[in-house]
Amino acid sequence: MILEALEREGVEYVFGYPGGANLPLYQHLHEHPRLKHILVRHEQGAAHMADGYARACGKPGVVFATSGPGALNLVTGLCTAYMDSVPMVAITGQVASTQVGRDAFQESDVIGATSSVTKHSYLVTKIDQLPRVIHEAFHIATTGRPGPVLIDVCKDVQQAEAERVTPDRLQIAGYRLNGHVDLGEASRAARALAEAERPVILAGHGVILSHAEPQLQELAEAAATPVGTTLLGIGAFPVRHPLSLHMTGFMGTGWNLKAVQNADVLMMVGMRVDDRVTARLADFAPRVKTFIHVDIDGSEMGKNVRPHIELVADAKQALAAMTPHVGPVQKDRGRWLSQIDAWREEHPLRYKHSNGRLQPQDVLLDMYRRADNRAIVVADVGQNQIWAALWWNYDRPGLFINSGGAGTMGFALPASLGAKFARPDLPVWCVAGEGGFVMTAQELSVAVEHQLDVKIVILNNFSLGMVRQFQDDFYGGVRSHVDLTHSPDFVKLAEAYGLPARRVERLEDVAPALDAAERTRGPFLVDFRIDPEANVYPIVPLGKSLNEFWEAPEA
Amino acid sequence: MSQIRVLSLEVEDAPNTLTKVSGAIRRRGFHVRGISVGPSRHAGRFRLTLQVDHGHAEADQVRKQLERLVEVVEVEDLTGDEVHSRELVVANVATSDVDALVRLGAKVLSGTTVEFSGERDEVGAFIDELHRHGIVDVARSGPVVMRRA
């Protein structure tokens, strides 16, 4: 009955792992050839694969796991999806309903363990609940602010026979969708932007989730207002657009941070305004007279920054409602835009490449020249993530995938495989540090088994680079447990799994290695031995305001 | 300024509801100061009355975070409104104290067991009185709150 329901919801892929409490489900899987099941090697991998799949194609990712350790291994992946509002449905096996509460073999309180990292969850103890629950789960996961929903199904329910029923129309009393745009507030917001002397728009993941990029660009152009994005909002506004401020936040570009800190009107769209965006909250955007916040989740209003104008609505509808009300733009707008251009000149992105060591940017820039804006980049967490965010000019949404809110190391490899299942038509690059890569490296088996054409780029600096950088700069220079010299030989590791690989230590070998990667059909791994002292810049020291960003030393 | 929000919730009668509500409160750094729960006039729904300390968050975050829960059908924030807020005390007392407590408004349930209901402060004062008399045993409920008609 579960499998039929999944077919009815249009599910194409299931990422999962069988075990004692979901055996009945797996027994009947072969009777449903439309459901392609991908056997992962660890349940965390399943959750990240489903996550990458969902982010790449917009459809909900579906996960199977067994009870106890199987389900608990999903927790990090659920949290990753929850923090970044990714639609996912996880179906976990639970011990038989008559065994619940008896500390049965592989029993754990999965609802209890996952409540804080799911949008909603269900424990199903009776077969007649199932059709409604599955239908509701997909609805809740994919609508409003998307998120993961978990269904914990007792084993006896999986085995029970029941008449096929198609669930009725959905009626979920406690589930509210905020679609309505207050036109009065939209008009006020539009006028506030147009009449401002120094307006800035910041765009988050919500813009991408709502497919509001054209509406954002129209509004920005109508109101002659520069646009920055959050880390997860990358792609919401073309980086090469003249009004682009590139990425904001404590590792954002200098000209973005200058603009935010000097703005008099700041509109934040589809974002949570978290500590990585604001740095020291008390000093965030101190000259702003009017904060405007647009988000579909009403609880975001005032959670971190109290807006003067709030629109609890879908970004696309809200932005579309604003543009007609922009009206005449403040006369001196040219001065503000020239000031931003001056900051762009004054604080460019730059990196040091004079010490003879291979720099991560050398690798990324070469990749970008090849891929332009046609490839999906899935980054891990740490320095590799920020380099991949800043050194590509993403001009379209959906091309940069990373774990922004949860910051989950080990995300990139399984998520990149999920992205490839979702978009076999696009090149997919996985960018990871050697620290995060080994956390989920077992999923290489999936890449090889399905001959997924994913190019894996390890930016190997023999250390936990971001932590090392923080220790150097903010924790008295004490390098404590960041040395990863004892990593495996990644070329041999790849070969052991059955995929070709290369090692690159010099700049002149970058292009030939990437050529080889591109020529190869199927997975390919390159272990780039980069400068172990390479750092991420700009960066705002921990606890400081956005004004106090540090820049890269002169090249 | 008071940190306490008074909320009246209509929630689904489901096994996970209390876990979800208390989990959301804990996760956001709030703290429950009073709680009472009982059936509501709608079948399959319960009425949950909460007094919650909102900690460092903005006051209306308590309502907003609870509204996000699918199990929560409706949240009414009654903080600062004109309300009737009643708590109940049941106590076992010494035989010699029964008459004095009845004069304070207590009702005899049986023998030396009395009950008293009232606003939070009245109930507090009644319990202070019990302490002076030397209580044998006492049980106190959370609040049940309704906006004044």
Side-chain angles (χ1 to χ4, degrees):
Chain A
M1 182 176 270
I2 294 173
L3 300 169
E4 279 170 23
L6 294 182
E7 283 180 336
R8 209 162 39 230
E9 300 292 339
V11 174
E12 189 184 5
Y13 284 103
V14 176
F15 305 94
Y17 207 92
N22 63 2
L23 281 168
L25 205 53
Y26 276 86
Q27 182 186 352
H28 297 287
L29 202 50
H30 72 277
E31 297 158 21
H32 300 267
R34 277 195 291 159
L35 296 175
K36 285 172 255 179
H37 181 273
I38 306 302
L39 175 65
V40 299
R41 299 307 192 264
H42 185 286
E43 288 87 353
Q44 186 186 347
H48 292 326
M49 249 176 249
D51 184 321
Y53 172 87
R55 294 194 210 212
C57 72
K59 294 205 289 180
V62 178
V63 175
F64 284 176
T66 189
S67 64
L72 296 179
N73 279 342
L74 294 178
V75 172
T76 306
L78 290 170
C79 178
T80 306
Y82 181 67
M83 290 294 278
D84 291 351
S85 307
V86 177
M88 187 185 294
V89 174
I91 299 178
T92 49
Q94 180 56 278
V95 299
S97 57
T98 51
Q99 288 295 318
V100 169
R102 297 174 192 265
D103 291 336
F105 177 65
Q106 290 191 331
E107 181 188 357
S108 66
D109 173 14
V110 174
I111 300 287
T114 59
S115 282
S116 65
V117 292
T118 49
K119 185 175 173 186
H120 191 44
S121 53
Y122 299 89
L123 173 64
V124 182
T125 54
K126 295 194 181 67
I127 183 80
D128 57 353
Q129 302 165 335
L130 253 185
R132 174 185 60 84
V133 163
I134 292 178
H135 194 42
E136 276 186 18
F138 276 87
H139 176 68
I140 291 173
T142 54
T143 51
R145 178 179 182 170
V149 176
L150 182 135
I151 311 173
D152 201 24
V153 188
C154 288
K155 191 174 178 181
D156 49 332
V157 174
Q158 299 169 39
Q159 284 163 317
E161 291 292 330
E163 290 205 23
R164 289 176 197 187
V165 281
T166 312
D168 299 336
R169 213 167 58 82
L170 283 165
Q171 271 191 322
I172 316 171
Y175 186 57
R176 294 161 275 290
L177 287 172
N178 299 313
H180 172 74
V181 181
D182 183 322
L183 290 176
E185 289 295 279
S187 155
R188 268 182 74 207
R191 291 303 302 143
L193 282 180
E195 287 164 10
E197 276 181 31
R198 304 178 306 277
V200 167
I201 298 173
L202 292 179
H205 197 200
V207 172
I208 295 174
L209 288 168
S210 142
H211 307 291
E213 304 85 9
Q215 288 73 20
L216 174 63
Q217 196 168 328
E218 278 168 34
L219 176 66
E221 287 168 0
T225 299
V227 181
T229 72
T230 65
L231 175 65
L232 285 173
I234 282 177
F237 195 78
V239 172
R240 286 179 290 192
H241 191 286
L243 288 171
S244 168
L245 297 172
H246 210 325
M247 189 171 86
T248 195
F250 92 133
M251 293 176 186
T253 62
W255 66 95
N256 182 306
L257 303 189
K258 286 277 182 187
V260 169
Q261 291 301 86
N262 286 286
D264 61 347
V265 172
L266 180 62
M267 182 164 96
M268 307 164 294
V269 192
M271 56 186 276
R272 303 176 287 126
V273 205
D274 81 339
D275 58 313
R276 288 312 198 236
V277 161
T278 63
R280 191 166 62 213
L281 189 57
D283 298 316
F284 174 62
R287 302 181 68 193
V288 167
K289 296 193 201 83
T290 309
F291 280 110
I292 306 164
H293 198 170
V294 182
D295 202 285
I296 198 161
D297 183 346
S299 74
E300 292 301 343
M301 301 297 147
K303 189 179 83 181
N304 296 321
V305 171
R306 168 52 57 193
H308 303 90
I309 302 175
E310 56 181 62
L311 282 134
V312 180
D314 174 69
K316 186 176 198 154
Q317 293 173 25
L319 294 170
M322 281 180 214
T323 305
H325 298 285
V326 167
V329 172
Q330 217 264 355
K331 283 196 286 298
D332 282 345
R333 184 56 53 79
R335 193 189 300 171
W336 173 234
L337 298 177
S338 327
Q339 172 64 70
I340 289 170
D341 288 339
W343 284 326
R344 196 183 275 116
E345 295 284 313
E346 204 179 326
H347 305 286
L349 284 176
R350 62 183 183 218
Y351 67 99
K352 190 175 178 175
H353 42 80
S354 56
N355 65 356
R357 305 295 301 256
L358 181 60
Q359 299 300 318
Q361 291 89 347
D362 295 331
V363 178
L364 290 163
L365 289 171
D366 193 326
M367 285 164 61
Y368 179 69
R369 277 192 290 275
R370 292 159 191 274
D372 195 25
N373 275 310
R374 276 201 66 257
I376 294 177
V377 177
V378 184
D380 211 69
V381 166
Q383 291 179 320
N384 65 84
Q385 176 184 28
I386 304 302
W387 287 323
L390 289 177
W391 290 90
W392 284 51
N393 295 319
Y394 302 95
D395 274 2
R396 286 193 294 122
L399 298 181
F400 183 56
I401 292 174
N402 74 115
S403 165
T408 304
M409 285 175 71
F411 173 78
L413 176 63
S416 69
L417 304 182
K420 190 68 192 181
F421 280 118
R423 295 302 305 267
D425 54 320
L426 293 182
V428 175
W429 294 86
C430 165
V431 177
E434 79 284 7
F437 179 76
V438 298
M439 287 192 176
T440 51
Q442 75 284 346
E443 305 304 337
L444 283 174
S445 294
V446 175
V448 174
E449 180 179 346
H450 299 276
Q451 279 303 298
L452 291 171
D453 197 7
V454 172
K455 311 308 175 197
I456 301 155
V457 169
I458 300 181
L459 298 175
N460 185 351
N461 57 3
F462 302 95
S463 69
L464 289 173
M466 188 69 94
V467 179
R468 193 264 307 143
Q469 181 177 351
F470 277 33
Q471 290 182 347
D472 283 355
D473 290 347
F474 314 132
Y475 290 87
V478 180
R479 290 192 175 182
S480 180
H481 294 271
V482 289
D483 181 3
L484 293 181
T485 313
H486 290 281
S487 289
D489 178 327
F490 289 108
V491 175
K492 281 188 184 161
L493 181 77
E495 283 164 1
Y497 274 100
L499 70 151
R502 278 202 193 188
R503 177 176 305 120
V504 172
E505 296 183 57
R506 294 177 308 170
L507 180 60
E508 53 269 36
D509 297 330
V510 171
L514 293 174
D515 288 343
E518 284 194 313
R519 270 199 314 271
T520 307
R521 290 175 69 90
F524 194 95
L525 182 148
V526 190
D527 174 18
F528 289 101
R529 302 280 177 96
I530 62 164
D531 182 357
E533 304 292 320
N535 280 348
V536 161
Y537 293 109
I539 188 167
V540 174
L542 298 174
K544 300 285 186 184
S545 82
L546 289 179
N547 280 325
E548 298 165 82
F549 62 88
W550 294 2
E551 291 188 85
E554 296 280 350
Chain B
M1 202 179 79
S2 169
Q3 290 277 105
I4 305 291
R5 307 303 293 180
V6 181
L7 300 149
S8 177
L9 282 68
E10 191 170 277
V11 299
E12 299 282 0
D13 171 16
N16 301 328
T17 299
L18 269 183
T19 314
K20 298 283 180 77
V21 169
S22 59
I25 288 171
R26 177 187 48 76
R27 193 166 96 76
R28 298 291 169 179
F30 313 146
H31 192 124
V32 175
R33 294 297 177 190
I35 183 169
S36 73
V37 58
S40 79
R41 63 197 173 91
H42 292 117
R45 306 240 179 102
F46 271 64
R47 174 64 55 185
L48 186 63
T49 309
L50 282 169
Q51 290 172 326
V52 180
D53 183 333
H54 62 81
H56 68 247
E58 282 211 359
D60 66 350
Q61 277 291 309
V62 182
R63 176 182 57 79
K64 288 176 172 178
Q65 293 299 339
L66 291 172
E67 278 179 342
R68 296 177 82 199
L69 299 173
V70 177
E71 290 84 354
V72 174
V73 179
E74 197 181 293
V75 184
E76 210 179 349
D77 192 336
L78 300 171
T79 317
D81 289 0
E82 289 285 312
V83 293
H84 292 291
S85 176
R86 311 294 288 177
E87 295 179 18
L88 176 70
V89 181
V90 178
N92 287 329
V93 298
T95 319
S96 55
D97 294 331
V98 171
D99 289 346
L101 293 170
V102 166
R103 278 195 296 278
L104 288 173
K107 192 175 126 192
V108 179
L109 292 177
S110 70
T112 54
T113 305
V114 299
E115 73 165 30
F116 177 86
S117 70
E119 300 273 336
R120 187 184 184 85
D121 292 349
E122 294 169 335
V123 169
F126 183 79
I127 288 177
D128 289 344
E129 191 61 27
L130 289 176
H131 280 293
R132 273 193 286 280
H133 286 275
I135 319 174
V136 179
D137 199 5
V138 65
R140 177 179 180 173
S141 78
V144 175
V145 182
M146 179 162 283
R147 190 175 272 126
R148 284 177 192 260

